[in-house]
Amino acid sequence: MKATNVADDVTHAAVRLFAEQGYANTSVQQIVEAAGVTKGAMYHYFESKDDLLFAIYERMLSLQKSHLDEIIARGGPVEDVLRTACVDVVETSIEFLAEGTVFFRSQHMLTEPRQQEVVRRRREYHDEFARLIQRGQAEGLYRADVPRAVLIANFFSDIHYLSHWYDPAGPEDKTLVAEQITDLFLTGIRRTDA
Amino acid sequence: MKATNVADDVTHAAVRLFAEQGYANTSVQQIVEAAGVTKGAMYHYFESKDDLLFAIYERMLSLQKSHLDEIIARGGPVEDVLRTACVDVVETSIEFLAEGTVFFRSQHMLTEPRQQEVVRRRREYHDEFARLIQRGQAEGLYRADVPRAVLIANFFSDIHYLSHWYDPAGPEDKTLVAEQITDLFLTGIRRTDA
Amino acid sequence: MKATNVADDVTHAAVRLFAEQGYANTSVQQIVEAAGVTKGAMYHYFESKDDLLFAIYERMLSLQKSHLDEIIARGGPVEDVLRTACVDVVETSIEFLAEGTVFFRSQHMLTEPRQQEVVRRRREYHDEFARLIQRGQAEGLYRADVPRAVLIANFFSDIHYLSHWYDPAGPEDKTLVAEQITDLFLTGIRRTDA
Amino acid sequence: MKATNVADDVTHAAVRLFAEQGYANTSVQQIVEAAGVTKGAMYHYFESKDDLLFAIYERMLSLQKSHLDEIIARGGPVEDVLRTACVDVVETSIEFLAEGTVFFRSQHMLTEPRQQEVVRRRREYHDEFARLIQRGQAEGLYRADVPRAVLIANFFSDIHYLSHWYDPAGPEDKTLVAEQITDLFLTGIRRTDA
DNA sequence: GATGAATGAGGGTTCATTCAT
DNA sequence: AATGAATGAACCCTCATTCAT
């Protein structure tokens, strides 16, 4: 029950340090010191510094994707499904705010193979999300006079931007904020002509 | 007519390389080789690699701020002013897409004093923009049931996100996209109750 | 038996090269090559080139201070104690002639914090020595018509100057020279009026 | 009458900066900025940074040598001549305290040819001084039981050491100090047996 | 599983000096 | 006489990774 503590401790220390100082400005030495382990131990669990960064993404990506799958699986009116999906991804992004900070800043620091893997995983999420929008457009709920890429970007941008303004220590409740952001998005894309 | 060629050549090479490979993964050696100058020459015009990064931001920040000042100075109904400001900042952000890519990824790599300066400059823009929203709210045009911080983030996030999806070589026209993004934003924040 | 060979080898090479060429004219590369180690290995044991210089001083300062403490602790007539202390510091300074050469030339090359530390350590030695002179004056042994600072400088100057003229390969025996220098000093400061 | 102002301004700035920061830590750029001239102008008057250092020594060496020549030329009892010479060299060394600081620290930074020249010039002074001691010994005034090299070092060391303790802003008068140092020296070397 | 000394390639930066103007 | 942009070689230092123990 303590076997994988090393991996966890290292991961947590890495997230914190990467978020505070950036990936490139954080040395492996700093990470293992903060985690209270030695370099050798760390390299026993992670192939490289790069691998550590990937592990951070992996955890968040898996979680959000499984949530989305589940929400869609539950079925229901597309508007409800979309709203639930949006609120969920904002909420989990707030829960993983440090991971998101690292993610959006340092994705490009990954080596090529892992970079590709991240892109692939994110595209899966993106495409599944896009199909919801598409269904809504087909039902005449959402604007079709704007490229779907713009509509989607309009929402995903908010996820990215959270770490630039949201303060977990501040007054705003994460669920409320998630609903507000979702509301602004859904209002913006609603079809109003007719 | 050749006086500052070194500085310009270096800046352009740096923007390109930073956008392609990231700031940390680009060596000063690579920059000067791409620019066709010597390291010594570069350090005659820039204090440090850090300074080079700052110069890239500086140019974009100055331009966008002076545009905003001018748009506000021209006056007019708040909705028109805000719309013009939004379209402008999206358009210039597309014109400086590489700079934006670098900016949003690598701002945290700046040394502390320059980081502060960037924050200060961005806050000036932010606050001026926020006053427009506030005026619109006072006139009853925009929702007041959502924190202003959320409304503003909803727009600025789109600026940030441009470099993640917009392809200058793609089919979308920059002005059209700017208008679409602005429209989604303004529709989203419009007051509809009553 | 080989544990700290790297640190020792580096230190010895550094003392030799600094004495021959000066601190500023000796590159870290030269030092590690002379010591037969790699740069990385050196930086595993020393924080910086500066640290290496400090380590050289440290060793000499510690030794001379502990000798002085011991000589004073043994007690006895002040004239005997002072004479023993003088002879000892000249002798050890001859034994560490290269270190002294480096010390007196390059102390000002240390970074501020280490410079302060050296000053502090030397002042400890100086003050302990000064108290011996003071005791001697109180007993009427030594001149009081000359500021104590001048009396003390008159001796310490000889320590400094050793590396400018003493040749370890020359005919002069170190103990004999130490006694001669001490004798000149003590004769010079003796009270003769009365 | 302003033609050589450049050379003078540069020299003074250099002495001050070398004394404050050390020769190696002072850049040519700092010197010309402090002197209010340009690099090109400086290199018009000095061959190199090295040359600048030599010029500082040259001025002091020439002055002290000419003083010694004159004092000896005036003739008189050897004790009086020696005393006058000692007082004079201490006094001028205090007047040129910054130059002395630089001299004793950085002589080894000179390139070989200039280093040789400095050594030659100093030996001239040394030898002339040594002959005075020798005459005194021949007359039975000074101890002959100690190598002459030790006797001479005993005095020159004080000159070297001045910059380590003498404070021009302090209470001690330079002439008085010169007499005190001379007195300690002459008392120390006086023949007392018989 | 775990250690941490050692590697070795590369990084950013400095600076005395030159030379076209 | 004077400028200052440009050179180019060297410098100190960092750090992800390896491997003998």
Side-chain angles (χ1 to χ4, degrees), chain A residues 38-41 44-45:
Chain A
T38 63
K39 257 187 214 180
H44 189 77
Y45 291 98

Side-chain angles (χ1 to χ4, degrees), chain B residues 6 38-41 44-45:
Chain B
V6 169
T38 61
K39 242 188 244 193
H44 190 76
Y45 291 97

Side-chain angles (χ1 to χ4, degrees), chain D residues 83-104:
Chain D
R83 180 175 296 271
T84 306
C86 288
V87 170
D88 176 80
V89 74
V90 176
E91 275 193 275
T92 61
S93 292
I94 288 178
E95 282 158 14
F96 290 80
L97 203 59
E99 281 83 353
T101 304
V102 174
F103 192 119
F104 300 129

Side-chain angles (χ1 to χ4, degrees), chain C residues 12-184:
Chain C
H12 290 136
V15 170
R16 183 170 61 75
L17 290 168
F18 290 164
E20 280 171 18
Q21 315 174 338
Y23 175 79
N25 289 335
T26 302
S27 71
V28 169
Q29 190 58 45
Q30 283 180 303
I31 296 169
V32 297
E33 273 167 20
V37 305
T38 62
K39 237 187 250 190
M42 191 212 96
Y43 276 98
H44 191 76
Y45 291 97
F46 298 94
E47 291 177 9
S48 59
K49 188 184 176 189
D50 184 70
D51 191 33
L52 195 44
L53 183 56
F54 182 74
I56 294 170
Y57 296 170
E58 218 290 327
R59 185 153 151 252
M60 196 169 67
L61 286 168
S62 296
L63 189 91
Q64 296 190 330
K65 180 60 162 56
S66 73
H67 277 210
L68 181 59
D69 289 344
E70 195 187 326
I71 288 164
I72 288 176
R74 283 207 294 265
V78 66
E79 169 85 4
D80 294 354
V81 173
L82 183 57
R83 180 175 298 269
T84 306
C86 287
V87 170
D88 175 82
V89 73
V90 176
E91 276 194 274
T92 62
S93 293
I94 288 177
E95 281 158 14
F96 289 83
L97 203 59
E99 281 82 353
T101 304
V102 174
F103 191 120
F104 300 129
R105 266 186 198 161
S106 304
Q107 189 191 332
H108 67 288
M109 302 292 287
L110 285 172
T111 49
E112 205 44 53
R114 288 205 170 91
Q115 180 111 246
Q116 296 297 338
E117 174 65 8
V118 168
V119 166
R120 191 182 69 72
R121 300 280 285 273
R122 298 194 60 205
R123 185 148 43 213
E124 283 181 7
Y125 193 99
H126 175 281
D127 290 352
E128 201 160 356
F129 191 90
R131 279 191 290 274
L132 284 179
I133 301 286
Q134 190 173 13
R135 278 175 49 199
Q137 286 179 317
E139 295 184 16
L141 293 173
Y142 307 134
R143 301 173 66 153
D145 61 330
V146 171
R148 194 148 53 231
V150 175
L151 297 182
I152 293 168
N154 189 241
F155 177 69
F156 281 0
S157 68
D158 289 308
I159 308 296
H160 263 73
Y161 201 64
L162 277 172
S163 63
H164 284 87
W165 70 272
Y166 184 84
D167 179 7
E172 272 116 356
D173 174 72
K174 77 176 179 203
T175 303
L176 187 55
V177 165
E179 285 165 353
Q180 290 167 339
I181 287 174
T182 299
D183 200 50
L184 290 176

